Amino acid sequence: MRLLVLGLLMAVGLAGPQRAALAADLGDVQPLPEHVAPQLVPALGQGAGRHLVQLVWNSRRARLERRVFEVFDPFAARDYDLFWEPVNPDRQDGRRAEGQGVLTWREAGALRYGRESIVAQYRGMLVSGRPEGPGSFVERSGLRYDGAWRAGLMHGQGAIRLPGGDSYAGAFREGRIDGTGIFVAATGETYQGGFRMGARHGAGEVRAPDGAHYSAVWSDGLRVGPDRPGGSDAFAMLHRVQARPAIEGAAISVAVGGPAEFCCHSGPPSFGYTAISRSDRLEIIPDAPGMLDIWRGRANIVIQDPLSFDWDRAGLEAYNFLNYNESHIKTLPLQFGLENRDADPLTVIGGYLEVMSSRVDRQPKLQSLELKPLSPQNVEFSIENYGWSTAGNAVLNASFQSNVTEQASAPFSIQIGEIASVHAFSFVPAIVANGLPEGRIEALATICQGGNGPSCLDQLKRDGQLGGLANYVVTGLNEYDPNLASGFGLRAAGMLSYDWTDDDGGAHRTEAPFEGLVPLGTFISRAECEGGELLEVAGGRPFQLDEHRDSYRIPFPLDATVYAGEVARWQITLDAAKSSNHALRIVLELADGREIASRDISVLMFRPNTYPATIRPFQPRC
């Protein structure tokens, strides 16, 4: 297993660290054993162009069409099936694949639908058939890269995570690590400094999990300068991640387990977790960036199809609370390994989770939707709370804004009050206050159906039927092509402010962005819409974390002998009854009475108070 991890590092051009003791430099350059097969990583000088013949749905003509795409395949020699799924297929004018989309490699001869046969996947922008700009690459072993691409290779700033939990964040050049960055091993050992063609090069600093550290100078992976202090003792203590003395010659690695998360064609994504290696801890969070931004009040809480795509963060699928129900994965598969670097065997007779603290995450999880998504007019919205505390004193401060004239209406405030589960509110008072009589609002719903919608809207403006809101009315956006107008309405943009109390009694007030289209009328009838090698501890049975407790232990059974130079790996499954934050370590008990602890781990478990199916009936969107 140790050789496999080394092979993964070399596959991406990173030689070391090898997780040895500080005196051995935590791993200098070692050759790649010939029998270790590197994982799939786009590399300079490999691959060939391919022609893909696919059936694509043409939304303009409402029919399937046969298309030919030209794509560069860095793994052409392996003869995988390759599929290109563009976000906007109608804009594929030439043969070379262009624009945002998903490029999927599958086992040869496998069905296109389902995720079992997926080998690897790229999500992001293609230019002339090659990845360009921001994008994400995932391989089924769990290898994952997120960052910049140029001409089909990792190039620029990015982050790569290896299946065993090692990670690197920093500069890449032509598919290899090159520049300045930080490598964090799954055991918590770090190297921060320069790299050239995958090897350490230039000044850098090495830190062990117990805070011991030094600085040195490297040249193409070899140390050429003397060791020197790497910072103050206070700095070293800041990065100390083990409370008890380390056992010399042994270390525990930690990583998030579970299958790689691929997208498309199989409904909403299964729920998973991801890990970010910090210098002082391993941070585990839900693998849903968009959803986390909505939860924390950093992103627009209005869920509408045209507004939910966020390619820079989430890829093709929009992550929000609507994606998840009780059938999706909510447990956390936590992998850990015991590395024996000593000459004598280590005998493990048991283990436990040392939980320093657990707290319910009481920040409200708010999202807002139209109350009647299948109606031509939606001036009423709901705000739904999936969190474990009430959002109080909620106020929406906003204005109606035109994305054409860049004009904005007079600002308005809507007092919403407490949001415990579902709270409905209406934009009608704000519409009336801006000059459109209430008696005229309902008639706008279908007045432009069946004819030339944009022309009809222009006539309404000329006739004064939109009152004082004529300058702010915008056309609705089609989900797949913003050039296609399906209706008209008002774009409300502002901030939703609300109070909440955390698990320790602390008071907070959050301001969350609110931006959504308030539909006033439709150009189309309802008939035109489409309907919508790891051993499992305790046999995989989840171990339950508390939600409000400090300094407790969760024992688990373990019986193994790890011989010199070997790595034994296990997986333990964690669960919690509520969304909650946990600070913990994995501790293994040895037969000689000693204990060895992992690096510090912080975990954010996602368990909503309720699910969309129970808070409101699901309705397909038009």
Side-chain angles (χ1 to χ4, degrees), residues 1-8 163-164 533-534 565-569:
M1 184 64 190
R2 173 68 253 163
L3 294 179
L4 176 57
V5 173
L6 173 58
L8 294 174
E533 167 174 12
L534 277 172
E566 290 187 350
V567 179
R569 294 174 62 80

Side-chain angles (χ1 to χ4, degrees), residues 74-93:
F75 315 123
R78 298 183 180 234
D79 198 31
Y80 294 127
D81 288 342
L82 187 60
F83 300 94
W84 166 239
E85 186 176 4
V87 173
N88 293 314
D90 298 339
R91 295 186 175 184
Q92 297 287 313
D93 298 326

